[in-house]
Amino acid sequence: MIIEQPAIFLRWLYPQALWRMDRKERAVYLTFDDGPIPEVTPWVLDVLDHYGIKATFFMVGDNVRKHPEEFRMVRERGHRLGNHTYNHIGGLLHGISSYVHNVECANTYLHTDLFRPPHGWMKWGQYIIVKEKYRVVMWDLVTRDYSKHLSGRDVLLNVRRYARPGSIITFHDSVKSYEKLTYALPRAIEWLSSQGYAFKVFD
């Protein structure tokens, strides 16, 4: 559970970050990390269009550079954009200046005020600087669709077990998640809808 739904002490690491939205509103926020890529992004967009849902895509700057058509598709279909660094770098392996530089390189393509750190971690000094320009968005529920140890059904069960009002739900717009996404994403959307949840994006 500490992975799927971060414990309170983990949320204290970045106290001004968004971990969960309004607990009194029966709404969830779907987010997709790591894209855009031609093998997955168009399918995700078609699923979201089918259900009339907008989501937030935390994109890797170099993927945007390599796949401008998929980036254009996400933007033109009205989804929210977020920064996920230029090279999907882990903050613990980089100094403050190089990390912030990587974030800014990504933002030359993305032009967004939202940021999510790859792997969910960054050094305190990196966080202090990044949060001055960006709203740092973490998660209330990570589906673990990236895990080779989970099936699509397991990913769906994570959504059903841990989703709650205000949840920021993280999926991955990536090849390693695709097979599980094809099973879990439409079923998760249908289940959340049946439970009365609305789907929102960040202001």
Side-chain angles (χ1 to χ4, degrees), residues 83 102-113 133-134:
N83 187 326
N102 201 273
V103 172
E104 290 306 304
C105 285
N107 218 44
T108 62
Y109 293 91
L110 291 161
H111 306 290
T112 179
D113 65 337
K133 182 173 180 179
Y134 301 89

Side-chain angles (χ1 to χ4, degrees), residues 46-189:
D46 287 345
V47 171
L48 295 175
D49 281 353
H50 176 75
Y51 293 102
I53 291 170
K54 301 302 181 190
T56 303
F57 287 76
F58 287 92
M59 294 184 172
V60 174
D62 196 41
N63 284 348
V64 175
R65 180 190 65 81
K66 291 185 291 188
H67 308 300
E69 177 62 19
E70 286 70 30
F71 174 63
R72 182 191 62 80
M73 292 169 64
V74 174
R75 189 176 53 196
E76 290 185 356
R77 296 199 200 183
H79 298 285
R80 189 76 156 89
L81 303 179
N83 187 326
H84 204 45
T85 75
Y86 188 80
N87 299 112
H88 199 266
I89 62 172
L92 298 183
L93 300 177
H94 291 265
I96 294 173
S97 60
S98 64
Y99 188 84
V100 172
H101 177 71
N102 201 273
V103 172
E104 290 306 304
C105 285
N107 218 44
T108 62
Y109 293 91
L110 291 161
H111 306 290
T112 179
D113 65 337
L114 302 180
F115 175 76
R116 172 176 285 164
H119 315 296
W121 295 96
M122 54 183 158
K123 295 175 182 174
W124 182 254
Q126 295 162 349
Y127 165 69
I128 291 297
I129 294 177
V130 168
K131 77 178 181 64
E132 293 303 311
K133 182 173 180 179
Y134 301 89
R135 284 191 289 164
V136 177
V137 180
M138 304 300 278
W139 60 84
D140 184 57
L141 193 173
V142 60
T143 63
R144 296 187 68 205
D145 54 351
Y146 55 81
S147 174
K148 63 182 180 181
H149 302 296
L150 299 185
S151 67
R153 185 174 181 274
D154 294 327
V155 172
L156 174 62
L157 289 175
N158 279 338
V159 175
R160 296 183 64 165
R161 183 176 296 121
Y162 297 114
R164 54 187 178 174
S167 282
I168 300 170
I169 302 175
T170 299
F171 290 95
H172 290 78
D173 185 11
S174 66
V175 171
K176 65 182 177 181
S177 299
Y178 182 51
E179 183 178 348
K180 283 160 277 194
L181 271 181
T182 58
Y183 180 92
L185 181 58
R187 289 171 174 83
I189 289 171

